[in-house]
Amino acid sequence: MGGEPQPLHFPGTAHARRTAPASFLYAVSMADRAELEQAVAQQGEKVRKLKQEKASSEQIAEEVAKLLALKAKLGPDDGKHKFVLKTPKGTRDYNPKQMAIREKVFNTIISCFKRHGAETIDTPVFELKETLTGKYGEDSKLIYDLKDQGGELLSLRYDLTVPFARYLAMNKITNIKRYHIAKVYRRDNPAMTRGRYREFYQCDFDIAGQYDPMIPDAECLKIVHEILSSLDLGPFLIKVNDRRILDGMFAVCGVPDVKFRTICSSVDKLDKTPWEEVKNEMVGEKGLACEAADQIWEYVQNNGGLDLIEKLLKDPKLSQNKQALEGLNDMKILFQYLELFGVTDKVLFDLSLARGLDYYTGVIYEAVLIQNQGEKQQQNDNTEESVNVGSVAGGGRYDGLVGMFDPKGRKVPCVGVSIGIERIFSIMEQKAEASEEKIRTTDTQVLVAAAQKKLLEERLKLISELWNAGIKAEMLYKKNPKLLNQLQYCEETGIPLVAIIGEQELKDGVVKLRDVSTREEVDVSRQYLVEEIQKRTSLF
């Protein structure tokens, strides 16, 4: 129509196209829209972060205005709901190969826990908010709070230790050795490549009860040693310290009592942060005297074994502090027991180990993976940083936690360890990928196959016999599958045996049992088939 503008085509329904506002004529292109949507998401995240950090209302309002302006640039929606197909931030799906690795790791850990006489319990995935409040120090900000859905303020469990203490107090249990494997939740900044998630498993082993000093504590460290040795993750080191030694050290260095916990959380960062930064936090942010920080540094540089314990027992300051003295004497007993267990080569008394959780009262420990010399030389990092790959287990003594929940304040001494299962999974997955080893995702022992057509009924009869006898068996879901396809399926999935039936085998009352790897075949009498399969697959 001459010089008249041509009509634009809009997405959505015909009605939406006819009634689109004039401003929509200038709608952004698909590429620009994608860029704008990303900017909206980033700005939205910025607004959420400011609200979490309790920024000033003016600052929040300013950023919200920017967010609304970005949304306005997008123009009206096209009427279709855009569904983002992804897992929530800090979570992941696990495919069958990953689950096979996880199952293997879990079995190794559970068998160790059971070998040491532990029984298992379970607790709800969420607790009353007041149950978790005030138990985690500065980490309390990472607790996931749930909306009030039914008259109760709830939070997702942050770990398995506090629910365990609540369970003991509620059921008036004074003695138990238990393990608990379950998911926990932390509103953390995820680093998924390093096995750090918002939803993850913890594997806990705890001993509750009044026992002679350091016997249960030594057993917990022995368990860590056994598990890490069994999983073959590479060289590891178990660092130990004692909260009483730390508190005594803070006292003699001039740290005020009210600052013990907050200074402790600063010391806890020394494995990842240089001393100068930690000192700046102590002095600049937390108001500690510079001289006190320098004295702490003199102590936390020390690590060793029995020799260091003996040296500190003679330290003119520490030896005069009651708490530090108790801790050092118990540490000496602990190392004597660890020597009897044959694990002292992997244990290091380290005065810089702090562990930030508020509920620890005595011995604390953390297991870290370390790189061998060859790996270290390939890196440009300084030696200090390149040695420590990351924590894979941690724990300690928490004698006061149960008493916090008991109406009469009755204490139940406890000591335990938590295995950092997600980091272990990440390492195991990387190792499996690097080695390109074939991972079986099923436990199937035998595939029931047919050599000719029209034998579906006979396959169904045979597989039913095997299932009833406890044999793990599969068959292809086709009436007349080709024998070659059935054999290829076994090779692809790692099934070790094939039980083949044909017309001749049915007449003779036998089954042809084929070894998939060697391709060797043998006729086995039907009545002895189960026994033969069990004998052959017991080796796998």
Side-chain angles (χ1 to χ4, degrees), residues 493-504:
T493 57
I495 298 172
L497 299 173
V498 192
I500 305 169
I501 48 173
E503 289 167 7
Q504 191 60 48

Side-chain angles (χ1 to χ4, degrees), residues 498-499 511-515 520-522 524 529 532 536:
V498 192
V511 173
K512 196 175 289 295
L513 199 60
R514 178 185 173 102
D515 186 306
E520 189 183 308
E521 293 181 347
V522 61
V524 180
L529 180 62
E532 186 65 23
R536 285 170 178 255

Side-chain angles (χ1 to χ4, degrees), residues 45 89 117 135 233 252 254 300 312 351 358 390 394 401 514 517 523-524:
E45 189 62 37
K89 189 177 176 182
K135 310 299 188 300
L233 298 169
V252 302
V300 296
L312 292 173
L351 276 172
D358 274 7
L401 192 55
R514 178 185 173 102
S517 60
D523 286 343
V524 180

Side-chain angles (χ1 to χ4, degrees), residues 402-438:
V402 179
M404 287 185 186
F405 297 115
D406 192 283
K408 295 182 179 176
R410 285 171 295 209
K411 289 188 177 182
V412 178
C414 297
V415 65
V417 64
S418 182
I419 308 297
I421 198 77
E422 299 296 344
R423 182 159 285 175
I424 289 172
F425 288 149
S426 293
I427 294 162
M428 298 285 275
E429 283 171 23
Q430 286 163 18
K431 282 180 79 172
E433 248 177 67
S435 68
E436 295 180 353
E437 64 175 296
K438 195 166 183 178

Side-chain angles (χ1 to χ4, degrees), residues 33-274:
R33 187 174 186 87
E35 200 175 306
L36 267 173
E37 282 173 348
Q38 191 177 357
V40 166
Q42 287 172 348
Q43 186 64 20
E45 189 62 37
K46 188 174 182 180
V47 169
R48 278 189 290 278
K49 197 173 178 187
L50 285 171
K51 286 179 178 177
Q52 284 168 9
E53 292 169 352
K54 296 193 168 90
S56 69
S57 54
E58 292 84 4
Q59 194 180 356
I60 292 171
E62 186 183 332
E63 297 303 329
V64 167
K66 288 179 188 174
L67 177 62
L68 293 173
L70 284 168
K71 284 182 175 179
K73 281 185 185 178
L74 280 173
D77 205 326
D78 59 9
K80 291 180 183 176
H81 173 66
K82 289 182 180 169
F83 186 72
V84 181
L85 211 56
K86 65 185 280 290
T87 59
K89 189 177 176 182
T91 66
R92 64 181 286 202
D93 294 320
Y94 295 89
N95 64 39
K97 284 185 179 178
Q98 290 166 329
M99 287 305 295
I101 293 169
R102 288 166 81 87
E103 197 170 59
K104 184 182 174 185
V105 174
F106 277 140
N107 289 342
T108 300
I109 291 169
I110 290 168
S111 66
C112 177
F113 289 163
K114 287 186 172 181
R115 185 163 62 246
H116 286 262
E119 49 198 346
T120 190
I121 67 163
D122 197 11
T123 61
V125 74
F126 45 78
E127 295 275 350
L128 294 177
K129 184 177 178 179
E130 62 187 296
T131 300
L132 305 182
T133 302
K135 310 299 188 300
Y136 302 107
E138 293 185 7
D139 283 353
S140 289
K141 62 181 180 290
L142 302 180
I143 293 171
Y144 265 114
D145 291 332
L146 303 177
K147 283 186 178 177
D148 181 352
Q149 295 281 337
E152 290 182 328
L153 290 174
L154 306 172
S155 298
L156 291 175
R157 62 186 171 202
Y158 178 88
D159 68 1
L160 300 177
T161 308
V162 171
F164 174 55
R166 190 265 309 150
Y167 171 84
L168 294 182
M170 199 170 125
N171 295 284
K172 297 182 171 59
I173 296 167
T174 55
N175 284 279
I176 189 173
K177 189 191 291 185
R178 81 87 171 88
Y179 74 89
H180 189 185
I181 296 177
K183 286 183 175 180
V184 299
Y185 300 85
R186 295 187 183 177
R187 199 164 47 82
D188 206 347
N189 287 322
M192 294 168 73
T193 52
R194 299 202 307 273
R196 186 168 174 163
Y197 302 92
R198 288 180 164 184
E199 176 195 63
F200 57 95
Y201 274 98
Q202 279 194 340
C203 298
D204 281 19
F205 173 95
D206 293 83
I207 301 170
Q210 192 75 50
Y211 301 107
D212 286 335
M214 296 297 109
I215 301 173
D217 310 64
E219 185 172 6
C220 286
L221 291 166
K222 169 70 172 159
I223 284 168
V224 176
H225 189 281
E226 283 179 20
I227 289 170
L228 296 183
S229 300
S230 300
L231 292 173
D232 194 25
L233 298 169
F236 64 90
L237 188 64
I238 306 169
K239 299 178 181 180
V240 298
N241 199 0
D242 194 298
R243 261 291 166 81
R244 293 166 297 175
I245 298 172
L246 274 169
D247 286 351
M249 177 184 76
F250 293 150
V252 302
C253 290
V255 179
D257 290 3
V258 291
K259 291 189 186 288
F260 276 15
R261 290 288 76 90
T262 187
I263 296 302
C264 189
S265 73
S266 295
V267 172
D268 191 37
K269 295 172 184 173
L270 278 171
D271 60 334
K272 302 180 190 77
T273 310

Side-chain angles (χ1 to χ4, degrees), residues 431-477:
K431 282 180 79 172
E433 248 177 67
S435 68
E436 295 180 353
E437 64 175 296
K438 195 166 183 178
I439 297 163
R440 279 201 69 190
T441 57
T442 72
D443 289 339
T444 307
Q445 295 165 281
V446 63
L447 182 87
V448 174
Q452 287 115 15
K453 292 182 177 181
K454 298 182 180 177
L455 290 174
L456 174 61
E457 289 81 0
E458 294 299 335
R459 281 194 292 145
L460 291 172
K461 279 185 202 170
L462 178 55
I463 200 167
S464 185
E465 284 174 28
L466 295 176
W467 285 338
N468 292 341
I471 296 292
K472 299 176 182 112
E474 279 188 66
M475 57 178 269
L476 297 193
Y477 301 132

